[in-house]
Amino acid sequence: MLKEALFYENLENCKVKCNLCPKHCVISSGRRGICGGRENIDCKLYAVNYGKICATAVDPIEKKPLFNYKPGTSVFSIATAGCNFRCKHCQNWEISQSLPEDVPFSELTPEDVVDLAKNYLCEGIAYTYTEPTIFYEFMQETAKIAKNNDLFNVMVTNGYIEKEPLKKLAIDAMNIDIKGNSEFYKKICFAELEPVLETCILAKKLGIHVEITNLIVPTYNDNPKDIEFIINFVKDELGVDTPLHFTAFYPHYKLTTVPSTSIDVIKKARDMALNAGLNYVYAGNVPFSAGYDTYCPDCKSVVVDRFGYQKPKLHLDTSSKTPKCQKCGRKIDMIL
């Protein structure tokens, strides 16, 4: 399936400029942008990844990770191959660093995806595994149909999307990676930090539920200043009720000689964030049960009890529209 791309402009000599993400690729006829999913065909830009779904799964929403949005629900997860980053530590590099036609895929329509989500009794759809921005047209159409079928839409993203495309998405929740400082983005991701921060701020303004993930890579972004930078950005720009996930790195792709992140580093990062005043701070990819639970910011009792990816136990007063701690009655910033 070929689909003319959105957000591009025609230039001289049959070139086109893609305005979907901050890369703003200028693409000659017969060539593709850096993501591999958008090609200049006869002086028009096409989403050549449209409907080429290389990964599908039924996931608990906690796996995204989204902990303060619809806990205990299932999402139908989809992806196409490709990415607008070149992260040296990518966990899904086999598909994210491939062209859409170079990996096995199924041809699906947006209607197919919605039907599959409903058939598997999922409450929502997740655009994930690779960077969803690169299959924007398919995501946008699917999200609209999903909304009309009472399904929510979540996006797990590197945040590298321009403002107008983001505004036109029917997305309910986003987990956005903030990977490190500016130098980390340049050396490890071959991208820029500032557009990611702008996406985080805009998404909050648009009323999208936002959670932030920071993957801590030893010797690259694990020093206290880097961690403080993430914490302070969340606190000052997104608010203390914005969930922050610190997750552990494991050697992968082009960083196979880098050691895994120790559990102590994850615990220290979480403690730093809690001491700075953030209310919902989580740990991932490490055996640290306390880092998976949600606590009441006031009385510190467990309001969401998690064990792995099993359905969590909720200890919340849901008698009103706003969930509250059963023990002290404090409002819990969570969408059920």
Side-chain angles (χ1 to χ4, degrees):
M1 289 182 279
L2 271 184
K3 187 80 170 182
E4 186 173 0
L6 300 171
F7 306 106
Y8 79 93
E9 58 185 290
N10 292 100
L11 305 176
E12 294 180 349
N13 301 318
C14 200
K15 293 181 179 180
V16 297
K17 181 182 179 183
C18 180
N19 293 318
L20 177 60
C21 92
K23 295 284 187 182
H24 291 288
C25 295
V26 175
I27 308 167
S28 300
S29 183
R31 305 298 295 270
R32 297 189 188 185
I34 190 172
C35 68
R38 303 166 85 74
E39 182 175 342
N40 181 340
I41 301 175
D42 296 329
C43 312
K44 289 185 178 181
L45 190 63
Y46 286 88
V48 293
N49 57 7
Y50 186 89
K52 292 182 172 67
I53 306 302
C54 68
T56 60
V58 175
D59 290 323
I61 197 165
E62 286 79 12
K63 196 174 181 179
K64 296 302 104 188
L66 286 163
F67 278 19
N68 285 42
Y69 185 82
K70 304 285 186 179
T73 58
S74 295
V75 289
F76 189 73
S77 299
I78 64 167
T80 73
C83 188
N84 53 2
F85 276 14
R86 293 290 179 264
C87 298
K88 293 181 180 180
H89 60 309
C90 182
Q91 298 177 66
N92 289 324
W93 64 270
E94 295 95 338
I95 55 176
S96 74
Q97 302 305 308
S98 298
L99 296 175
E101 67 272 21
D102 288 345
V103 297
F105 64 84
S106 298
E107 289 266 7
L108 298 178
T109 65
E111 291 83 2
D112 291 335
V113 172
V114 171
D115 287 343
L116 285 166
K118 293 169 69 176
N119 289 342
Y120 284 107
L121 304 179
C122 295
E123 292 93 335
I125 296 174
Y127 311 93
T128 180
Y129 302 139
T130 60
E131 174 46 49
T133 296
I134 67 136
F135 57 94
Y136 182 93
E137 291 76 13
F138 192 86
M139 174 171 58
Q140 185 194 54
E141 292 177 22
T142 303
K144 287 180 180 178
I145 298 169
K147 281 274 192 184
N148 292 333
N149 283 267
D150 296 321
L151 299 173
F152 61 79
N153 296 282
V154 302
M155 186 179 180
V156 183
T157 175
N158 62 26
Y160 228 57
I161 183 172
E162 281 293 356
K163 294 177 177 60
E164 286 309 306
L166 178 57
K167 290 176 182 177
K168 289 180 167 58
L169 276 177
I171 292 294
D172 300 290
M174 298 172 73
N175 184 293
I176 305 172
D177 282 340
I178 302 180
K179 298 177 184 290
N181 62 25
S182 182
E183 197 65 20
F184 184 92
Y185 271 85
K186 290 175 183 177
K187 288 185 175 181
I188 303 300
C189 308
F190 301 95
E192 301 290 332
L193 167 64
E194 197 58 35
V196 178
L197 304 183
E198 291 174 0
T199 292
C200 296
I201 294 168
L202 176 58
K204 290 284 286 193
K205 288 180 179 178
L206 293 173
I208 298 170
H209 174 84
V210 172
E211 303 195 17
I212 301 299
T213 292
N214 176 227
L215 178 72
I216 299 179
V217 184
T219 74
Y220 284 91
N221 67 351
D222 62 340
N223 68 70
K225 285 187 178 180
D226 286 333
I227 294 169
E228 284 175 6
F229 162 71
I230 302 289
I231 293 168
N232 289 336
F233 172 77
V234 172
K235 180 179 179 180
D236 297 339
E237 301 295 339
L238 306 181
V240 295
D241 287 328
T242 300
L244 174 58
H245 303 255
F246 290 110
T247 59
F249 162 86
Y250 292 92
H252 216 53
Y253 194 32
K254 295 182 178 181
L255 292 186
T256 54
T257 60
V258 178
S260 301
T261 315
S262 73
I263 189 171
D264 287 339
V265 168
I266 299 295
K267 286 181 176 180
K268 286 177 183 176
R270 180 173 177 269
D271 287 344
M272 286 170 62
L274 291 170
N275 291 336
L278 298 190
N279 288 328
Y280 306 103
V281 189
Y282 302 106
N285 289 352
V286 290
F288 177 41
S289 59
Y292 289 88
D293 295 335
T294 302
Y295 295 84
C296 172
D298 284 353
C299 72
K300 310 304 179 186
S301 61
V302 175
V303 292
V304 181
D305 184 1
R306 298 181 181 88
F307 183 76
Y309 292 126
Q310 295 180 16
K311 198 174 184 70
K313 297 177 182 178
L314 306 185
H315 305 289
L316 292 164
D317 179 356
T318 58
S319 58
S320 62
K321 191 174 181 180
T322 302
K324 297 176 181 178
C325 172
Q326 284 182 343
K327 190 172 181 180
C328 71
R330 201 250 199 219
K331 173 191 171 184
I332 303 299
D333 200 75
M334 182 173 287
I335 297 173
L336 301 179

